[in-house]
Each structure stands twice: as structure tokens, then as C-alpha cells.
């Protein structure tokens, strides 16, 4: 059986996350429960270990994520060497691929060493993304503080200021909602890579490469660009109708595996409403509501996780060029869970391709072509 884009094909078995009848779960726990109650560190532990952590395990994970979050000085120099117009996702991919140069046991694939690398990568990717923005602004690179949570530390390392409680709670929830999503393109890329027994850094680098494409990780950045281009509510219908007439894709709507709506979208919609009100950017929320209504009426499509995450991140003072790298911070937790699962019961992933080209052709010498 062949299918375009492998749609409907089960490529592996996994116990990490599920999408059944429109419900998303992490290790069997509904995403709604996790989004409303959990800390991101708890979700990281859950994805990697199968159960929520006890207090001592959670304390140790938080401590490790801070201790490993400081970047080598050589990585600081690398970040500062990039062209001033370099894209953040290109910077992120390059820096992550350089991390194993400073890892003594990079080729050691024992479960113990892989767990150690997993914590290092999860900790450092947050610092890297914050550092990318600070380097672009000519500011000092910061390291995480031991008294801060993971979400709190990222916002601090980005701005250099203590974030508000509201901002931390919103960002924590956004991290949880993006943490894993079954066998999406970047996750599948990571599993294919480590199935060759490449190291965990190679798997994460592959995943970042897949995430950088606009059909996967760049949608919320495109949504923010669309809102800025539209400008006011009065321009929404003319803009959308023209885009649809020209068969342009309106980013942030529809999803291959959700027919009745993305269960994560409602949480981000509520966050967008709350944050835009607090920051005086209510117009972006109101515009988003109007766009949602027009697309539902004209195309029958509902928002996915990317649509309202754009205005959430905008309200948190995050520049749109950083939206996809932030997606990578969160999704690294899921990528690592899948990488560890792949290592546990590994077999090289090598599908076949159904050949549909010409057959029984002979070689023709160059003078007779």
C-alpha cells in the first residue's frame, strides 16, 4: 500500500502520545489535564519515563536542567560569529549540531549516557534560543537561575528581567501544549536518524531541520505576519477573500489528524484573550476571532495549535522570528522521548518506494542521443 505523505500509514508502535477520536494524550493523560495543572518539567519527566515524577525526582530534574543550562564559551563565540541577518532557525540548527564537539561521551549510546545527554540538550536548547535573540540585539548571553522554573528561566534569559507570574504561567502552558504530537514530521525525522545508531545530537539536529519548514514549524510566524499585513479588522474579509481566490494557504487552520478541531487550540485561544487584554494588544485577538469566523464560513476549517500561539508569543514580547525556535524548545522533550524509545527497541527504518518510472530502457551512446 502506498499513500502520498504516508497519510494513514502506521510506521511504528509508540507508548508516548496518542491522538484517538480527536483527543491528545501524553502517556495516557489528557492534554487538557496537563495544560491546566502541570509544570513543563513534570511533562518532560512524564514523556521520558512514562509516569509523573515524585517530588524527589522532580527536584532533581529541575536542578539538572539549571546545572546543564550554561553554554560552553565556544558556543558563545560561535553564536557571535554568525552573520547579523542569519535566520534564528538556521542558527539553532548549527549550534545544536556543534554541541557534541564539547561532549566527551558523544558516541556512547548506553541508556545512562543517553539520559545524561537528553537532560543536557533539553537544558541547553532553551539557553541557545534565548542567546540567539540576545546576540542579535547585541546583548550579553545569560545563564539560567537555580531558583527559577524552566519557563521562568527562558523568559528571564530572553529579556534579562524577572518575568511576571502571568507570563510564566502562559509560557509554561504553551510549552506543555507543544511538547509532543505523535509521529509528526520532525519526530519521525529524529527516529529515522537515530535508528542508524547515530547519536542523540544528530537526531535532534534532524528534527530541527524538519521543523524549520513552513508546513511544520513556521505556521505561527506566518500567522503573525498575516495579522501585521492585514492591519485592521476592516481589511480582514478583503484580504482573506483575495488570498482564497489566489489559492493561497491561510496558515494556522486545519490539521491532517484532527477533523473536529485541534484540542490544543482552545487553550491558546484563551491565553491570547487574556494576554492581549493585559498588554493592550487586544486588536490582534479581535482580528484573530474574525479571521477564524471567515475561514470557518468559507472553508469549514478550524484553528490549529499555531493560530493563537502567534498572538500569545507576541503578547509575551517575543519576536516572530523566534516563534519556531521556541517551538523547538518545547518539542525537544517529545523528540527525546521518541529517540529514547527508538534506542530501546531499535531497528533500522528503511521503507520501500513503489517505482512508477519508465522500464526496460537501454543505454544510448552520447552520439546517438
Amino acid at each position: 500500500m502506498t499513500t502520498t505523505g504516508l497519510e494513514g500509514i502506521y510506521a511504528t508502535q509508540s507508548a508516548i502520545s496518542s491522538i484517538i477520536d480527536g483527543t491528545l494524550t501524553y502517556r495516557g493523560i489528557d492534554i487538557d489535564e496537563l495544560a491546566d495543572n502541570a509544570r513543563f518539567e513534570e511533562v518532560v519527566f512524564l514523556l521520558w519515563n512514562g509516569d509523573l515524577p515524585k517530588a524527589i525526582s522532580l527536584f532533581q530534574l529541575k536542578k539538572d536542567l539549571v546545572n546543564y543550562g550554561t553554554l560552553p564559551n565556544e558556543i558563545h563565540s560561535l553564536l557571535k560569529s554568525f552573520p547579523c541577518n542569519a535566520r534564528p532557525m538556521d542558527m539553532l540548527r548549527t549550534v545544536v549540531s556543534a554541541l557534541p564537539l564539547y561532549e566527551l561521551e558523544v558516541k556512547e549510546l548506553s541508556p545512562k549516557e543517553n539520559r545524561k545527554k537528553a537532560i543536557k540538550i533539553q537544558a541547553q536548547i532553551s539557553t541557545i534560543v534565548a542567546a540567539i535573540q540576545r546576540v542579535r540585539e547585541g546583548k550579553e548571553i545569560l545563564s539560567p537561575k537555580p531558583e527559577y522554573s524552566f519557563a521562568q528561566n527562558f523568559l528571564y534569559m530572553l529579556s534579562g528581567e524577572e518575568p511576571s507570574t502571568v507570563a510564566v504561567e502562559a509560557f509554561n502552558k504553551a510549552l506543555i501544549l507543544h511538547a509532543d504530537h505523535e509521529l509528526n514530521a520532525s519526530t519521525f525525522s529524529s527516529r529515522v536518524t537515530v535508528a542508524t545508531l547515530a547519536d542523540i545530537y544528530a537526531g535532534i539536529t534532524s528534527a530541527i531541520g524538519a521543523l524549520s519548514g513552513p508546513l511544520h514549524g513556521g505556521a505561527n510566524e506566518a500567522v503573525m505576519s498575516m495579522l501585521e499585513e492585514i492591519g485592521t479588522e476592516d481589511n480582514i474579509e478583503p484580504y482573506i477573500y483575495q488570498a482564497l481566490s489566489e489559492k493561497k494557504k491561510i496558515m494556522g487552520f486545519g490539521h491532517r489528524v484532527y477533523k473536529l478541531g485541534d484540542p490544543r487550540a482552545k487553550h491558546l485561544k484563551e491565553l491570547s484573550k487574556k494576554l492581549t487584554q493585559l498588554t493592550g494588544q487586544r486588536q490582534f485577538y479581535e482580528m484573530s476571532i474574525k479571521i477564524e469566523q471567515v475561514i470557518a464560513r468559507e472553508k469549514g476549517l478550524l484553528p490549529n495549535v499555531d493560530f493563537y500561539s502567534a498572538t500569545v508569543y507576541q503578547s509575551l514580547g517575543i519576536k516572530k522570528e523566534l516563534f519556531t525556535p521556541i517551538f523547538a524548545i518545547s518539542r525537544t522533550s517529545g523528540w527525546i522521548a521518541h529517540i529514547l524509545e527508538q534506542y530501546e527497541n531499535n531497528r533500522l527504518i528503511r521503507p520501500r518506494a513503489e517505482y512508477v518510472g519508465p522500464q526496460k530502457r537501454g543505454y544510448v551512446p552520447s552520439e546517438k542521443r
Side-chain angles (χ1 to χ4, degrees):
M1 177 182 175
T2 60
T3 178
T4 303
L6 298 181
E7 184 170 359
I9 298 296
Y10 290 88
T12 191
Q13 292 182 326
S14 176
I16 297 168
S17 65
S18 67
I19 304 169
I20 301 172
D21 296 331
T23 298
L24 172 63
T25 72
Y26 296 168
R27 299 288 189 177
I29 303 177
D30 195 303
I31 190 63
D32 291 342
E33 289 191 57
L34 293 169
D36 288 337
N37 299 294
R39 299 291 92 189
F40 179 63
E41 293 92 333
E42 293 180 278
V43 170
V44 170
F45 190 95
L46 172 68
L47 290 172
W48 295 1
N49 298 282
D51 291 302
L52 290 167
K54 294 182 179 180
I56 185 64
S57 297
L58 181 59
F59 174 82
Q60 187 62 51
L61 177 59
K62 288 181 176 180
K63 182 179 178 181
D64 289 342
L65 288 172
V66 171
N67 289 343
Y68 286 123
T70 299
L71 300 174
N73 289 332
E74 294 86 351
I75 295 297
H76 287 213
S77 299
L78 177 61
L79 281 162
K80 293 173 182 177
S81 73
F82 294 142
C84 60
N85 63 344
R87 295 192 316 157
M89 276 300 282
D90 294 338
M91 297 171 72
L92 178 61
R93 182 179 63 221
T94 301
V95 171
V96 170
S97 71
L99 290 178
L101 299 175
Y102 311 99
E103 172 66 64
L104 295 177
E105 304 295 338
V106 65
K107 296 303 179 185
E108 173 59 58
L109 300 182
S110 70
K112 180 180 178 181
E113 285 298 326
N114 280 333
R115 292 277 170 163
K116 184 178 178 180
K117 294 188 192 82
I119 294 173
K120 283 185 177 181
I121 294 171
Q122 185 67 67
Q124 291 182 347
I125 196 166
S126 178
T127 312
I128 292 167
V129 173
I132 286 170
Q133 187 58 46
R134 291 187 69 82
V135 166
R136 285 160 62 90
E137 295 174 348
K139 297 178 180 177
E140 176 190 3
I141 295 173
L142 300 175
S143 295
K145 291 186 173 185
E147 67 269 26
Y148 283 177
S149 68
F150 189 89
Q152 200 171 5
N153 260 318
F154 174 77
L155 294 175
Y156 157 70
M157 290 188 291
L158 189 67
S159 68
E161 300 175 357
E162 182 176 355
S164 69
T165 300
V166 173
V168 172
E169 289 177 352
F171 191 63
N172 178 77
K173 183 172 286 193
L175 288 173
I176 291 171
L177 293 169
H178 285 96
D180 195 55
H181 205 234
E182 202 220 46
L183 207 59
N184 55 84
S186 55
T187 298
F188 187 55
S189 296
S190 73
R191 293 190 74 133
V192 169
T193 298
V194 301
T196 69
L197 295 185
D199 63 76
I200 193 170
Y201 292 98
I204 298 298
T205 303
S206 293
I208 292 171
L211 186 69
S212 68
L215 292 183
H216 187 11
N220 51 10
E221 180 180 343
V223 169
M224 198 65 237
S225 295
M226 176 180 67
L227 289 169
E228 292 173 341
E229 187 176 348
I230 291 173
T232 66
E233 278 195 63
D234 292 340
N235 294 332
I236 288 174
E237 292 203 5
Y239 180 95
I240 297 297
Y241 290 144
Q242 181 177 347
L244 293 177
S245 69
E246 295 173 357
K247 301 190 182 303
K248 292 182 179 178
K249 184 176 178 62
I250 306 297
M251 302 302 282
F253 287 90
H255 200 286
R256 183 177 290 186
V257 299
Y258 295 119
K259 305 307 177 187
L260 299 176
D262 188 330
R264 302 166 295 176
K266 61 181 180 291
H267 294 281
L268 290 158
K269 183 176 182 178
E270 186 60 33
L271 284 176
S272 175
K273 180 180 180 180
K274 181 178 182 179
L275 289 171
T276 54
Q277 182 70 39
L278 287 172
T279 59
Q281 298 176 311
R282 183 76 177 190
Q283 75 277 12
F284 286 129
Y285 176 74
E286 299 292 350
M287 289 170 63
S288 298
I289 291 292
K290 183 69 176 292
I291 293 170
E292 179 183 347
Q293 292 170 347
V294 174
I295 296 298
R297 184 177 68 237
E298 298 298 322
K299 299 293 291 183
L301 296 175
L302 297 172
N304 58 39
V305 71
D306 297 305
F307 186 64
Y308 284 100
S309 67
T311 46
V312 168
Y313 292 155
Q314 170 76 9
S315 298
L316 291 173
I318 298 169
K319 295 185 177 181
K320 62 185 179 183
E321 295 84 4
L322 222 61
F323 289 3
T324 308
I326 286 172
F327 191 152
I329 295 174
S330 171
R331 188 55 60 83
T332 292
S333 62
W335 291 336
I336 289 172
H338 282 267
I339 286 170
L340 295 176
E341 186 178 65
Q342 184 67 40
Y343 280 142
E344 286 173 4
N345 188 27
N346 186 57
R347 189 179 185 198
L348 180 68
I349 298 173
R350 204 294 190 191
R352 298 292 307 278
E354 182 183 9
Y355 180 71
V356 295
Q359 299 185 26
K360 297 183 179 179
R361 301 174 72 191
Y363 174 81
V364 179
S366 58
E367 65 273 13
K368 294 183 178 181
R369 293 174 199 165

